[in-house]
Amino acid sequence: MKEVRAADVLAQRLYEAGCRHAFGMPGGEVLTLVDALETAGIHFTLVKHENAAGFMAEATWHRTGAPGIVVATVGPGVLNGVNAIANAEQDRVPVIMLTGCVDADEALTYTHQVLDHQAVFAPITKATFRLTARSAGIIADKALGIALEGRPGPVLIDVPISVADAKVPEATGPYRTPASVTVPAGADLDRAKRWLADAERPVMIVGVDAMNEDAGADLLAFVETYQVPFITTYKAKGIIPETHPLCLGGAGLSPLADRTLVPFAQSADLIICAGYDPIEMRPGWRNIWDADAVNVIDISAVPNLHYMHQGTLNFVASTGPGLRALSDGVAPRETWPDGDITQARAALAASFPSDDTWGPSAVIDECRRHLPENALATADSGAHRILLSQMWTCHEARGLTQSSALCTMGCAVPLAMGASIASPDRVSVSFSGDAGFLMVAGELATAQELGLKTIFVVFVDSSLALIELKQRQRQLSNRGVDFATHDFAAIGRSFGGAGHTVTNRAELVEALQSAQNSDRFTVIAAVIERGSYDGRI
């Protein structure tokens, strides 16, 4: 039997799972890993920081359905990736983190850069492994199953230097068959069906589990059959096109949206939580209904141990099959006869007007109107993200990606770059505040090296706008939230891209048209007034 390196067995299993991209910054401890990945057909992209590598890897998951791969070398390289892996855990993203480590015998007397990677990552991953030569294929298969099944999340595989190079037989299977989907059954299902049959004001809340399970078709069939208006979390935006008349848009962080959505949900006589993970929601969504007073059906990938809300009936089941089981044999009836759905949609539209002469709303409006309907948008954390998540119309799932559970800054730029790498035929655009953009500006060098055509929109107000707003709301002095104004267009040009500074709608439209015709990336610096988000989020 042919012998190969243990790293080759690991890489080949990842390739068989559909992985085609890996991101990171190599050190001597991972050179064999990088070589094995490339040999297997998984392209390795050199980035400028491991944190950015994590978000680029996440983007490839959103575009391909295969886990993202991050490669980090021993010590500081591994620790640079902690934020992105914590984000993957909270945002339910399957990422395989491959790290190099010093051999166990070597670590007994050699301590330079040596630390326990598994101990560091255990609290922020679904599992950690240390690769062994004879079981490389089994460990890879376990890691993939754990990362993908149930509620997705990251897994760490620590690879000792000598193990990566160790010779092992090429074939190490067999691999396990993925678990079948689960569906509700029994007396509880019969009870839930009666509730659905009797409901006059049903509401559905759709979350990231439903998106990860590709439940869009089942959701659409259900809400149309039973005329159920639905709210999505920010991650689930677009799982049903947001132009649908039953769509009440996204919820999560906006007090303005909550003024309409929370009372609407509280007026329902049946709440159906379809793959709803409340990790994305602000405290105002904690226990907004009483499960003893209103019927609540919770269909979730994992048991409800979060206590953000309680269900009257809790089904640990897959969203699509769960909804099909719930609707089997239940006749539809008229719902919401008083026009409440139309009124709620109108109230939401009025809360987020798009006709400003200039400001963040105008920027979002022009970008949505002048970029393709299928543009892949990403949002960094900050005030602009809240506004964007309410105003940006998504026509498909994953049309807007963001860090909506951990809410980490600096994610939008690498997320958009990863989307450009995985889907080069689509327009990718990132929306960043100026502070978040500065955190990752070095990745513009990566965009230039890869020949990406990504569009980077930066809201320039020289302030941590959301934090400054909270500071003023608490009547605190202005401290630690303001910084200098920088020429972001010039930064883009200095890295080999195009750069535009815009101060009105006409200039923005011209910049967007130029960016879409460009053969390189573009930075568009949209200069807005301080305090532009007051009363708008």
Side-chain angles (χ1 to χ4, degrees):
M1 183 178 292
K2 179 182 176 182
E3 287 194 332
V4 297
R5 299 168 297 184
D8 293 313
V9 175
L10 169 62
Q12 183 59 38
R13 182 68 192 98
L14 295 174
Y15 181 87
E16 290 168 358
C19 301
R20 297 295 183 269
H21 300 279
F23 303 87
M25 183 174 288
E29 297 79 10
V30 296
L31 292 179
T32 299
L33 266 176
V34 172
D35 184 73
L37 290 169
E38 288 274 356
T39 300
I42 299 172
H43 179 67
F44 177 80
T45 296
L46 171 65
V47 301
K48 305 305 174 281
H49 196 283
E50 290 83 356
N51 188 55
F55 289 107
M56 292 184 199
E58 174 181 340
T60 63
W61 143 251
H62 289 305
R63 301 315 313 153
T64 69
I69 301 175
V70 178
V71 180
T73 194
V74 66
V78 173
L79 294 182
N80 277 347
V82 166
N83 177 75
I85 298 304
N87 182 82
E89 192 277 328
Q90 292 213 358
D91 274 44
R92 318 314 189 193
V93 178
V95 171
I96 306 296
M97 180 82 166
L98 303 178
T99 56
C101 67
V102 174
D103 294 327
D105 289 337
E106 184 79 356
L108 292 173
T109 57
Y110 180 79
T111 57
H112 177 66
Q113 290 187 317
V114 174
L115 71 153
D116 190 338
H117 298 162
Q118 288 183 271
V120 171
F121 282 84
I124 56 173
T125 57
K126 291 184 73 177
T128 69
F129 296 93
R130 176 162 292 190
L131 198 73
T132 63
R134 291 181 59 185
S135 298
I138 292 174
I139 289 172
D141 195 56
K142 281 190 173 186
L144 287 165
I146 292 169
L148 288 166
E149 293 181 32
R151 183 167 279 163
V155 174
L156 172 82
I157 304 178
D158 213 18
V159 183
I161 299 169
S162 64
V163 170
D165 283 309
K167 295 294 185 178
V168 296
E170 184 176 31
T172 60
Y175 303 126
R176 66 180 287 273
T177 301
S180 298
V181 298
T182 54
V183 297
D188 282 347
L189 177 60
D190 293 337
R191 188 180 175 197
K193 287 183 176 184
R194 290 194 297 272
W195 291 350
L196 176 61
D198 294 340
E200 294 183 355
R201 300 184 310 281
V203 170
M204 180 179 287
I205 303 177
V206 182
V208 65
D209 288 349
M211 184 193 74
N212 285 335
E213 294 164 2
D214 294 324
D218 288 309
L219 285 163
L220 179 61
F222 188 93
V223 300
E224 288 190 337
T225 298
Y226 297 99
Q227 289 298 290
V228 181
F230 63 94
I231 303 162
T232 71
T233 66
Y234 289 167
K235 277 281 189 183
K237 274 173 65 70
I239 192 166
I240 297 172
E242 291 191 297
T243 52
H244 197 285
L246 291 170
C247 180
L248 297 179
L253 297 177
S254 170
L256 270 184
D258 287 356
R259 291 178 191 174
T260 297
L261 295 176
V262 170
F264 186 89
Q266 290 173 330
S267 71
D269 59 3
L270 174 63
I271 306 284
I272 302 172
C273 298
Y276 169 49
D277 181 352
I279 196 169
E280 298 182 62
M281 310 302 277
R282 65 193 296 271
W285 283 82
R286 184 188 293 125
N287 292 323
I288 66 167
W289 56 77
D290 182 353
D292 292 327
V294 63
N295 297 325
V296 182
I297 301 171
D298 204 341
I299 303 173
S300 178
V302 299
N304 176 351
L305 299 176
H306 50 70
Y307 282 68
M308 269 285 285
H309 70 264
Q310 288 301 321
T312 321
L313 290 173
N314 294 293
F315 296 109
V316 180
S318 303
T319 304
L323 291 176
R324 292 200 300 271
L326 177 60
S327 62
D328 185 29
V330 178
R333 60 171 297 170
E334 183 182 5
T335 63
W336 297 95
D338 298 325
D340 300 60
I341 301 172
T342 301
Q343 294 171 25
R345 284 172 58 85
L348 287 166
S351 297
F352 301 97
S354 59
D355 58 353
D356 290 3
T357 301
W358 185 241
S361 297
V363 173
I364 295 168
D365 178 54
E366 294 295 348
C367 288
R368 180 67 284 188
R369 291 199 294 122
H370 290 279
L371 292 175
E373 186 176 284
N374 70 346
L376 300 172
T378 67
D380 212 346
S381 286
H384 72 279
R385 177 172 79 93
I386 300 175
L387 190 59
L388 188 79
S389 296
Q390 300 301 149
M391 292 185 63
W392 187 265
T393 302
C394 286
H395 302 275
E396 62 180 292
R398 308 175 196 272
L400 174 63
T401 55
Q402 55 186 289
S403 171
S404 55
L406 191 62
C407 296
T408 185
M409 291 176 67
C411 69
V413 165
L415 278 172
M417 291 172 60
S420 292
I421 291 167
S423 298
D425 57 322
R426 304 275 290 269
V427 171
S428 294
V429 56
S430 77
F431 294 91
S432 303
D434 38 11
F437 186 83
L438 288 170
M439 286 183 173
V440 291
E443 295 303 336
L444 295 181
T446 308
Q448 189 276 331
E449 292 158 6
L450 298 176
L452 303 183
K453 301 178 182 179
T454 316
I455 302 170
F456 304 104
V457 177
V458 186
F459 295 87
V460 181
D461 57 8
S462 305
S463 175
L464 299 175
L466 181 59
I467 308 306
E468 191 273 338
L469 175 59
K470 292 179 179 181
Q471 197 173 56
R472 281 189 286 114
Q473 288 173 339
R474 294 182 59 187
Q475 298 182 332
L476 297 173
S477 299
N478 181 286
R479 292 190 174 99
V481 293
D482 295 339
F483 48 91
T485 300
H486 303 285
D487 190 339
F488 291 93
I491 292 173
R493 291 192 294 269
S494 73
F495 278 102
H500 306 270
T501 299
V502 300
T503 59
N504 58 56
R505 284 179 179 259
E507 291 174 351
L508 175 56
V509 171
E510 183 178 352
L512 290 169
Q513 292 170 343
S514 176
Q516 292 177 82
N517 293 323
S518 180
D519 60 356
R520 50 186 171 159
F521 75 83
T522 300
V523 175
I524 300 176
V527 181
I528 59 175
E529 295 290 333
R530 292 188 178 216
S532 293
Y533 298 97
D534 288 9
R536 299 192 177 279
I537 56 176

